Amino acid sequence: MDTNHVTRLAALAHPQRLALFRLLMRRYPDAVAAGELAKALDVRQNTLSAYLSSLRHADLIEQTRVGRSLMYRVDMSNTSGLMAFLLEDCCRGRPDLCAPPAARPRKDTAMPERKLNVLFICTGNSARSIFGESLLRSIAGDRFNAYSAGTRPYSELNPHAVELLNDKGHDIAPLRAKTVAEFQGPDAPLLDFVFTVCDRAANEECPPWPGQPISAHWGLPDPVKAEGTEAEKHLAFQQAYAALKNRITAFAALPFDSLDRASLQYRLDDLARDMETL
């Protein structure tokens, strides 16, 4: 038995270290600053440092330095190796016996032959996720049903966001602030893709989505929190809109007919990395 796997299992056999690892998985492929991790998990910095050290010692996460900040990302190669060990060695290659129903591979490896359902999530559902919904509907509404929701939605949409969408020629009539709970009930549409467009929403725990949709994190700065002159605030909304337009245009151009789910997931993670450099 590879003792490295024992070390990795031991590192995860602690509630807070496991919570940290799960948060980094939700943010993958992002690298996340230690300060943000401490705030999201509500732990002291020295306690977080101990957790990060254990996960790094087990080679489950990677550390890089950006300026004065230490950034952390899941080491997906070693994590995949641990999952393979559990399935192939411990479970003797029997996913039908070991894996719970929600974790078993879907039989339909290709995307369904219908309009695909896409949900954009941010915390307030007042700007970025609304931009995502509107842009996808405009760019490829013939092939996708676009939705948006918030983990803690505001009661109304941000007026600057609505004004920008109206100026860009989008139909703002169907837009409203919604909670993610609307998309988790028995009558909700079966989602094919779920994109988080703010870091705070990605940091939060969410129940597993029915149907195992493909997910990706496209975190963007919150334009609602922009400070300065009116022109500077307006620019923040313009930048968020433009960044999402680039991502969604690239997403809609993917060859869905020729890619299976695993390949699509890889392309979406790759797209998230590429957009970090824009």
Side-chain angles (χ1 to χ4, degrees), residues 37 79 146:
L37 292 170
T79 298

Side-chain angles (χ1 to χ4, degrees), residues 9-145:
L9 288 171
L12 295 174
H14 181 281
Q16 287 297 99
R17 289 198 297 262
L18 180 60
L20 170 59
F21 181 77
R22 293 177 66 200
L23 191 158
L24 287 171
M25 279 296 300
R26 293 194 297 276
R27 290 289 298 274
Y28 185 81
D30 275 6
V32 187
E36 183 179 350
L37 292 170
K39 183 178 180 180
L41 294 170
D42 193 23
V43 297
R44 295 179 179 178
Q45 192 67 50
N46 60 343
T47 302
L48 178 75
S49 296
Y51 296 157
L52 289 168
S53 178
S54 294
L55 294 176
R56 286 188 64 213
H57 177 70
D59 292 325
L60 286 168
I61 62 174
E62 303 168 328
Q63 174 187 282
T64 56
R65 181 177 290 276
V66 179
R68 300 178 62 181
S69 298
L70 292 176
M71 311 291 288
Y72 297 90
R73 174 187 285 133
V74 169
D75 185 322
M76 196 55 71
S77 176
N78 286 332
T79 298
S80 297
L82 177 60
M83 297 301 105
F85 163 73
L86 291 173
L87 175 61
E88 296 168 9
D89 190 287
C90 299
C91 294
R92 314 307 299 168
R94 294 289 305 274
D96 55 314
L97 294 180
C98 290
R104 292 172 188 161
R106 284 173 46 157
K107 295 179 180 179
D108 55 325
T109 55
M111 298 308 296
E113 295 182 1
R114 55 167 171 77
K115 290 181 74 172
L116 301 176
N117 296 318
V118 181
L119 177 64
F120 296 92
I121 299 175
C122 66
T123 306
N125 192 212
S126 69
R128 289 164 291 180
S129 55
I130 291 292
F131 285 168
E133 176 184 350
S134 300
L135 279 162
L136 182 58
R137 188 176 292 133
S138 174
I139 292 169
D142 58 324
R143 294 182 291 124
F144 299 93
N145 294 313

Side-chain angles (χ1 to χ4, degrees), residues 188-209:
L190 183 64
L191 298 172
D192 299 293
F193 296 93
V194 175
F195 298 114
T196 49
V197 292
C198 81
D199 295 342
R200 185 178 171 189
N203 290 347
E204 295 178 5
E205 289 276 4
C206 250
W209 293 97

Side-chain angles (χ1 to χ4, degrees), residues 118-119 146-150 176 178-186 188-189 191 209-210:
V118 181
L119 177 64
Y147 307 97
S148 69
R176 63 181 178 87
K178 302 171 290 297
T179 174
V180 292
E182 289 192 24
F183 298 90
Q184 293 173 325
L191 298 172
W209 293 97

